[in-house]
Amino acid sequence: MSKRMGFIVNSDKCIGCHSCEMACKNFNLLDPQIRWRKVYKIQEDAYGSPTRMSMSLACNHCEHPQCLKVCPVDAYTKREDGIVIHNDDICIGCKMCTKACPYQVPQYNVEKKIVQKCHMCYERQDQGLKPACVASCPVGAIDVVDLNELSDEGYEKELPGFPDPSITNPSVRFVKPSVVKSYRAQ
């Protein structure tokens, strides 16, 4: 069985520092307005008690990628390990993929007049290294794993605010944050 690489996002550990975003931007030499990885705040009362929680998201390298499905020039390919690659040299900048992706991942680069997205640092992984975002996280809130070797126990396929995963079967798993009850002095 071939690998199916995916991100693990541990919202219980994430401190919302944006180190993952900056590492991604620096490694990929992204223009200032382009963000392949974004840290989102989870709705404060999503778990019944007002707490501040974050989740770091990038391309989900879906099992059924809608970006690949709608691209009229086949600028997207999917590797055997499940990583979805965008080929900048083929892209015509039509933005069909940006409209098709339920996670709003592919981004139009105005300077280059093409669409671009996270490629899970496949070049680093091919050398046995972790993606830049994973390597930079000071608290270990992101990792990359072979989902075929991961038990679903203890992991969620979505968190509050995450689009319905049934369409694309994204290759991201979440560790649900533990809710800390806060008590006020009376």
Side-chain angles (χ1 to χ4, degrees):
M1 178 186 287
S2 63
K3 290 183 176 182
R4 182 169 180 232
M5 302 308 292
F7 284 111
I8 298 289
V9 177
N10 188 332
S11 292
D12 208 25
K13 289 183 178 180
C14 183
I15 58 174
C17 70
H18 300 266
S19 292
C20 54
E21 284 187 29
M22 293 312 298
C24 177
K25 287 179 90 53
N26 291 337
F27 179 75
N28 294 293
L29 304 174
L30 300 179
D31 291 338
Q33 72 277 11
I34 302 291
R35 291 168 55 205
W36 289 357
R37 177 163 287 283
K38 298 176 187 173
V39 174
Y40 295 94
K41 298 292 179 204
I42 297 173
Q43 184 179 335
E44 276 195 28
D45 61 352
Y47 291 99
S49 148
T51 56
R52 293 203 172 127
M53 300 172 280
S54 301
M55 64 178 160
S56 175
L57 297 175
C59 178
N60 297 310
H61 301 277
C62 301
E63 186 175 357
H64 309 291
Q66 298 303 296
C67 55
L68 184 146
K69 184 178 176 182
V70 301
C71 182
V73 295
D74 297 325
Y76 288 91
T77 56
K78 187 171 175 178
R79 293 176 21 143
E80 285 187 29
D81 59 7
I83 298 174
V84 179
I85 306 290
H86 178 269
N87 186 331
D88 291 359
D89 295 335
I90 297 174
C91 182
I92 59 172
C94 70
K95 302 185 220 175
M96 288 180 67
C97 57
T98 65
K99 295 175 179 107
C101 176
Y103 312 102
Q104 300 175 343
V105 167
Q107 294 181 32
Y108 185 71
N109 185 322
V110 177
E111 299 277 324
K112 297 181 180 181
K113 296 183 177 22
I114 59 171
V115 172
Q116 297 177 304
K117 71 164 205 68
C118 160
H119 46 69
M120 204 184 280
C121 291
Y122 71 88
E123 329 78 324
R124 288 178 57 91
Q125 288 196 63
D126 289 350
Q127 296 174 4
L129 302 171
K130 296 279 187 175
C133 59
V134 172
S136 73
C137 182
V139 294
I142 316 168
D143 203 356
V144 65
V145 297
D146 180 355
L147 293 177
N148 291 331
E149 295 179 2
L150 185 73
S151 163
D152 280 343
E153 190 173 325
Y155 297 100
E156 305 284 329
K157 288 193 174 186
E158 61 185 308
L159 288 179
F162 192 71
D164 180 4
S166 67
I167 298 169
T168 63
N169 194 18
S171 296
V172 63
R173 297 297 179 268
F174 299 100
V175 174
K176 187 169 108 174
S178 58
V179 179
V180 179
K181 292 185 179 182
S182 57
Y183 295 96
R184 294 183 189 199
Q186 296 184 11

